[in-house]
Amino acid sequence: SAVISQKPSRDICQRGTSLTIQCQVDSQVTMMFWYRQQPGQSLTLIATANQGSEATYESGFVIDKFPISRPNLTFSTLTVSNMSPEDSSIYLCSVGAGPLFGEAFFGQGTRLTVV
Amino acid sequence: ELKVEQNPLFLSMQEGKNYTIYCNYSTTSDRLYWYRQDPGKSLESLFVLLSNGAVKQEGRLMASLDTKARLSTLHITAAVHDLSATYFCAVNTPGAQKLVFGQGTRLTINP
């Protein structure tokens, strides 16, 4: 299994500001994933963070709004830039682990409220 | 494009009853996952199903997978209040680790 630590666990931010969310894994992983869960909704993948290369963004998400860093095999950050109330969501990082990366583990999430 | 649909989206049931949540997906996938989410919490992994006919059970929950029908079920036996939560299924994009989630089923079990 993989243990994922995410911080902050929650934050309340002013519109127009940026927040950086950190994700630390207890083992080396090739890919880390960032998901967004809007209130009462399911999870949507924002991007895949690969160590040593640019993140791969899903349709509807752009690097200017959600820049991602992946400096090593155990750590990643997601920044939510120029926030608006529509960015209020839970943001979760995830990694694959286990045989053939068959398990998918999630951090505890960051609950972001933009006012 | 891979799509995952769950039904029902909302389920209110009485303790002691049995029920099933269904998860359909649109294209071939390598793995199917079931997660539980309590309010304000992250996702707790319940099951990973890897092959056709796979069946896994943990306590009052049993999950099965039919890859030919692209259908998974999560069966709840003799429900208890502690099982109240939102349940998500997810499948991976073929050959990749990233997941596509269903809409979630909000389960409420009443005493």
Side-chain angles (χ1 to χ4, degrees):
Chain A
S1 67
V3 176
I4 304 172
S5 299
Q6 214 179 306
K7 56 183 180 181
S9 59
R10 58 178 62 227
D11 208 341
I12 300 173
C13 300
Q14 297 290 324
R15 71 172 67 204
T17 63
S18 299
L19 176 72
T20 295
I21 302 167
Q22 299 180 4
C23 182
Q24 178 78 50
V25 188
D26 68 343
S27 57
Q28 294 184 339
V29 293
T30 306
M31 288 186 280
M32 297 175 75
F33 304 91
W34 288 98
Y35 291 84
R36 180 176 75 180
Q37 186 178 25
Q38 294 177 300
Q41 303 295 314
S42 185
L43 282 80
T44 302
L45 181 65
I46 298 171
T48 303
N50 306 297
Q51 196 272 332
S53 64
E54 293 286 332
T56 303
Y57 289 83
E58 299 298 307
S59 176
F61 297 97
V62 295
I63 187 171
D64 289 346
K65 177 67 175 177
F66 298 101
I68 286 172
S69 78
R70 185 76 200 275
N72 57 53
L73 290 174
T74 64
F75 187 78
S76 178
T77 67
L78 170 75
T79 299
V80 186
S81 303
N82 188 23
M83 289 184 284
S84 66
E86 292 71 33
D87 294 320
S88 298
S89 297
I90 299 174
Y91 293 86
L92 300 107
C93 70
S94 173
V95 302
L100 301 177
F101 302 103
E103 301 267 3
F105 296 94
F106 287 81
Q108 61 267 54
T110 296
R111 181 181 291 271
L112 171 62
T113 302
V114 183
V115 296
Chain B
E1 180 187 354
L2 176 58
K3 294 184 187 291
V4 182
E5 293 193 353
Q6 284 180 241
N7 73 84
L9 301 184
F10 298 92
L11 178 57
S12 180
M13 52 193 289
Q14 288 186 313
E15 280 192 327
K17 300 291 187 182
N18 304 332
Y19 212 82
T20 300
I21 300 171
Y22 297 89
C23 175
N24 286 93
Y25 53 100
S26 61
T27 63
T28 302
S29 178
D30 301 331
R31 299 178 289 274
L32 189 135
Y33 302 80
W34 283 99
Y35 291 93
R36 167 181 172 149
Q37 186 178 42
D38 292 298
K41 304 291 187 182
S42 186
L43 299 181
E44 174 190 354
S45 178
L46 296 175
F47 303 108
V48 182
L49 302 171
L50 302 177
S51 60
N52 189 44
V55 177
K56 291 193 175 181
Q57 183 164 4
E58 181 73 33
R60 300 176 188 273
L61 301 178
M62 183 174 70
S64 65
L65 178 62
D66 181 343
T67 57
K68 295 179 182 177
R70 296 179 189 149
L71 171 67
S72 179
T73 61
L74 180 66
H75 187 72
I76 303 152
T77 302
V80 293
H81 178 68
D82 286 351
L83 291 179
S84 296
T86 299
Y87 293 84
F88 290 96
C89 66
V91 297
N92 70 305
T93 305
Q97 295 181 39
K98 60 183 182 180
L99 301 183
V100 177
F101 282 79
Q103 309 97 307
T105 297
R106 185 173 298 180
L107 174 64
T108 303
I109 298 169
N110 304 302

